[in-house]
Amino acid sequence: METSVRPYYVPVGNEERVFLAAFRQGLPIMLKGPTGCGKTRFVEAMAHQAGRPLITVACHDDLSTADLVGRYLLQGGETRWVDGPLTRAVREGAICYLDEVVEARQDTTVVLHPLADHRRQLPIDRLGVTLDAAEGFCLVVSYNPGYQSVLKDLKDSTRQRMIAIELGYPPAEIEEKIIAVEAAADQRAAAQLVRIGRAVRQADAPGLREVASTRVLISAAKLIAEGLAPGDAARAAIAGPLTDDPLVAANLTAVIDAYL
Ligand code: ADP
């Protein structure tokens, strides 16, 4: 995705410099971080800065190699080869972002190996060709190190070829600014939500798979901007989506109420 306005991204550390250095050297990048901490927005901003199109693939355990590389499709009585998103990125010199790559099966991700090393090649068995990645191609994968099984872990040989960038939830003052900008919220509401978010993150409630991400805090701020009371907004946007368990929900509500 290339737009004339750079997508809004506030750097937290040296992640922009590391990304652009790796991009210029043609090195693949792995982004590690919890859900909703800004990984996608970061890649969008970096693609814009690098002046390359961005092709994003949301990975899941049904994703096949054909979904990435391409397949023959029957169109109007004819079979025609249609490139998958990875092949398009390789041909166009785009940034290919594989979101939540550990969700994909290993037999799907083997196709990434020759692309991730110095060869920068994509073999397409069905066409009997091997494509050299065009200048500007960059492979970026993301995953949440918090909840992957050992089985689904990335292979060591793949990991070693990649440049790692760790992203977490931003420090309080940056997160406040992001919430205020993204939700067009006032600074006071943003600051209050950040305090709630940090308390929920620290509460470490058992049975909670995710914690309050920057994304859910932005959603809460958007509800407040619509006139909802902060408590109602926080319950609907923070506590509700995080759990279905009434006990855990009650604990979260208590944490939220303590900061209102
Ligand atoms: P992830 O891909 O890690 O799940 P996203 O990139 O979708 O998360 O981030 C969720 C939202 O949080 C974004 O839409 C954006 O509004 C906001 N966000 C998080 N971190 C930042 C940041 N550093 N700068 C600007 N916006 C951010």
Side-chain angles (χ1 to χ4, degrees):
M1 185 190 66
E2 219 176 329
T3 53
S4 50
V5 182
R6 185 186 135 130
Y8 175 69
Y9 180 78
V10 187
V12 173
N14 67 353
E15 70 271 26
E16 296 189 338
R17 289 186 56 202
V18 175
F19 187 105
L20 293 170
F23 167 77
R24 285 192 292 269
Q25 290 292 332
L27 296 168
I29 298 165
M30 61 159 95
L31 298 180
K32 302 191 223 181
T35 308
C37 78
K39 298 184 294 298
T40 303
R41 180 62 65 84
F42 173 59
V43 180
E44 287 168 356
M46 291 303 92
H48 185 271
Q49 182 126 357
R52 302 310 311 159
L54 176 63
I55 295 178
T56 299
V57 182
C59 297
H60 50 81
D61 57 7
D62 263 349
L63 189 82
S64 66
T65 308
D67 291 330
L68 284 178
V69 173
R71 53 166 56 89
Y72 282 106
L73 289 180
L74 195 61
Q75 281 181 343
E78 272 178 60
T79 40
R80 211 166 62 85
W81 172 262
V82 178
D83 281 346
L86 183 64
T87 307
R88 271 194 290 131
V90 164
R91 287 193 208 271
E92 293 172 18
I95 292 179
C96 188
Y97 176 42
L98 304 180
D99 194 8
E100 295 294 344
V101 73
V102 288
E103 297 291 332
R105 295 189 314 258
Q106 287 214 347
D107 59 328
T108 302
T109 49
V110 281
V111 72
L112 301 177
H113 294 180
L115 263 183
D117 65 25
H118 65 279
R119 289 171 284 177
R120 286 171 56 86
Q121 283 181 330
L122 176 67
I124 307 181
D125 296 346
R126 299 294 301 273
L127 294 180
V129 297
T130 295
L131 299 180
D132 289 324
E135 171 100 21
F137 170 80
C138 183
L139 181 68
V140 182
V141 306
S142 78
Y143 67 99
N144 179 348
Y147 61 83
Q148 57 181 312
S149 74
V150 181
L151 263 183
K152 283 185 150 190
D153 203 350
L154 285 176
K155 269 177 57 175
D156 281 343
S157 55
T158 308
R159 299 178 71 102
Q160 282 175 19
R161 296 185 177 116
M162 309 196 93
I163 300 300
I165 298 177
E166 268 180 69
L167 295 177
Y169 300 121
E173 66 281 10
I174 295 185
E175 196 167 38
E176 265 176 51
K177 186 169 144 191
I178 292 168
I179 292 169
V181 170
E182 289 285 304
D186 71 66
Q187 203 70 38
R188 232 188 95 252
Q192 192 175 37
L193 287 168
V194 168
R195 281 196 296 276
I196 291 174
R198 294 172 83 82
V200 171
R201 285 170 201 161
Q202 270 152 25
D204 199 19
L208 213 58
R209 195 171 123 103
E210 294 279 350
V211 293
S213 67
T214 307
R215 181 188 292 129
V216 304
L217 300 183
I218 292 169
S219 300
K222 285 181 173 167
L223 296 183
I224 294 171
E226 284 294 328
L228 255 77
D232 291 339
R235 277 187 289 277
I238 303 172
L242 289 184
T243 183
D244 296 322
D245 182 321
L247 218 66
V248 180
N251 283 340
L252 288 183
T253 304
V255 172
I256 289 169
D257 288 345
Y259 283 84
L260 291 174

